[in-house]
Amino acid sequence: MQTPDPLTALNRLFAQALLRLGDTGEIDAACRLAAQGWSLLRHHQPKEAERLNGVMHNLTHPRRHGRKESPPGEGTVSSTPTPKEAHS
């Protein structure tokens, strides 16, 4: 049986802790820490850096916070008047 790489194991614990921090509402702090970790790992441990990138995406995803994403086009302002607006 092979012993897990300590960096990989530690990074998994770090990722779990960041997600729990995000669960408490500290999303900005968790994202800042994840970004710092990503920056440290990106050149020499790209797989582990990618794990932290995934954490940042998870932390900022609207579904994580119970918000629904707007369908495409909803919530955008159109400069073209609707037929009713054109005649008023």
Side-chain angles (χ1 to χ4, degrees):
M1 180 179 238
Q2 190 176 11
T3 306
D5 174 40
L7 177 65
T8 299
L10 185 59
N11 198 39
R12 285 184 178 164
L13 290 172
F14 183 48
Q16 289 174 11
L18 292 171
L19 292 171
R20 297 305 162 265
L21 183 60
D23 288 343
T24 69
E26 295 291 334
I27 295 167
D28 289 341
C31 284
R32 278 192 299 275
L33 290 168
Q36 289 173 353
W38 177 87
S39 182
L40 290 170
L41 296 171
R42 65 188 174 131
H43 293 297
H44 301 290
Q45 296 286 332
K47 183 177 177 183
E48 294 307 316
E50 189 58 32
R51 181 185 315 278
L52 295 178
N53 184 46
V55 167
M56 288 185 279
H57 282 277
N58 184 298
L59 287 165
T60 58
H61 198 283
R63 280 186 280 172
R64 180 178 176 80
H65 310 289
R67 298 184 311 238
K68 292 183 180 178
E69 291 186 45
S70 298
E74 209 174 279
T76 59
V77 178
S78 173
S79 60
T80 308
T82 62
K84 185 176 183 179
E85 292 172 335
H87 291 96
S88 20

